[in-house]
């Protein structure tokens, strides 16, 4: 069990760091796209000869950036970038919480109040990811036009979040049972 715990701590920390790097890179891409709109195509791998624009996606949040005057629309890219930064930050927080759970459970029981809170937060973050995607899609549609942003929601994040919230209730019950047993001893 100790080997699995150590592996879990290492992997969750690595994934968390990669997510924060992704947030920083997206911020840099947004700043560059505002400063030099002609460079947006380099961020999305767009060839000016293409007709249909670029399909941008991160964790189920998807925007189709149209071509305007032979370049990807900067406003669409900026809206997508802001939404992506929020979503990637939420994913980073999920892995941060997982790492904290591994650390707190390392030398004791996983049934602790802090772990219940961390699991509950994971559920909330997981539900927030598609909701933020929907909200930013609506903003993108209002800012850039109805042909740009298709409004949709990925239900898998919401369903997974509900499952994690249910698991947090089971962990809360486990904490109460352990407290009862400790009180009897």
């Amino acid at each position: 069990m100790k080997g699995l715990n150590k592996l879990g701590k290492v992997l969750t920390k690595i994934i968390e760091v990669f997510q924060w790097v992704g947030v920083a890179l997206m911020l840099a891409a947004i700043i560059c796209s505002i400063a030099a709109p002609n460079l947006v195509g380099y961020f999305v791998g767009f060839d000016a000869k293409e007709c249909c624009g670029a399909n941008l996606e991160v964790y189920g949040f998807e925007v189709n950036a149209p071509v305007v005057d032979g370049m990807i629309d900067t406003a669409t890219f900026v809206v997508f970038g802001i939404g992506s930064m929020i979503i990637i930050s939420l994913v980073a927080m999920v892995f941060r919480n997982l790492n904290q759970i591994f650390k707190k459970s390392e030398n004791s029981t996983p049934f602790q109040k802090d772990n219940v809170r961390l699991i509950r937060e994971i559920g909330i973050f997981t539900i927030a990811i598609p909701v933020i995607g929907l909200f930013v899609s609506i903003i993108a549609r209002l800012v850039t036009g109805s042909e740009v942003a298709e409004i949709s929601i990925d239900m898998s994040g919401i369903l997974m979040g509900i499952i994690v919230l249910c698991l947090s209730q089971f962990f809360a019950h486990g904490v109460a049972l352990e407290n009862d047993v400790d009180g009897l001893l």
Side-chain angles (χ1 to χ4, degrees):
M1 188 69 172
K2 290 221 185 246
L4 181 62
N5 195 34
K6 186 171 186 154
L7 178 67
K9 283 192 312 187
V10 169
L11 287 177
T12 55
K13 185 49 80 175
I14 289 170
I15 295 170
E16 177 194 355
V17 168
F18 274 120
Q19 299 304 312
W20 289 121
V21 168
V23 170
L25 290 173
M26 186 56 72
L27 178 61
I30 291 170
I31 292 169
C32 287
S33 71
I34 292 170
N38 58 329
L39 297 179
V40 174
Y42 293 111
F43 297 122
V44 298
F46 173 74
D47 183 6
K49 293 180 275 251
E50 293 183 30
C51 66
C52 304
N55 192 31
L56 310 172
E57 191 218 345
V58 63
Y59 294 114
F61 169 55
E62 190 172 342
V63 173
N64 186 20
V67 177
V68 177
D69 297 328
M71 296 186 311
I72 297 294
D73 182 47
T74 304
T76 305
F77 183 77
V78 169
V79 171
F80 171 79
I82 292 169
S84 296
M85 285 176 48
I86 295 168
I87 290 170
I88 296 170
S89 296
L90 289 171
V91 173
M93 292 302 294
V94 165
F95 282 98
R96 179 201 163 278
N97 282 11
L98 285 171
N99 184 273
Q100 291 296 314
I101 290 168
F102 279 117
K103 283 182 180 178
K104 290 182 184 305
S105 303
E106 192 169 38
N107 296 319
S108 65
T109 178
F111 297 106
Q112 303 172 32
K113 269 186 148 177
D114 283 342
N115 283 354
V116 172
R117 178 186 55 79
L118 292 168
I119 292 170
R120 190 172 297 125
E121 287 176 1
I122 289 171
I124 292 167
F125 295 150
T126 307
I127 290 172
I129 290 169
V131 171
I132 295 291
L134 177 66
F135 181 70
V136 175
S137 293
I138 292 170
I139 291 172
R141 191 174 188 125
L142 292 173
V143 169
T144 60
S146 61
E147 67 280 346
V148 173
E150 178 182 313
I151 296 177
S152 63
I153 189 164
D154 182 11
M155 291 298 291
S156 62
I158 292 175
L159 296 175
M160 186 58 72
I162 291 169
I163 291 169
V164 172
L165 288 173
C166 290
L167 286 174
S168 74
Q169 293 304 308
F170 293 129
F171 268 78
H173 185 67
V175 168
L177 288 176
E178 279 204 0
N179 287 339
D180 288 345
V181 168
D182 290 342
L184 292 174
L185 296 177

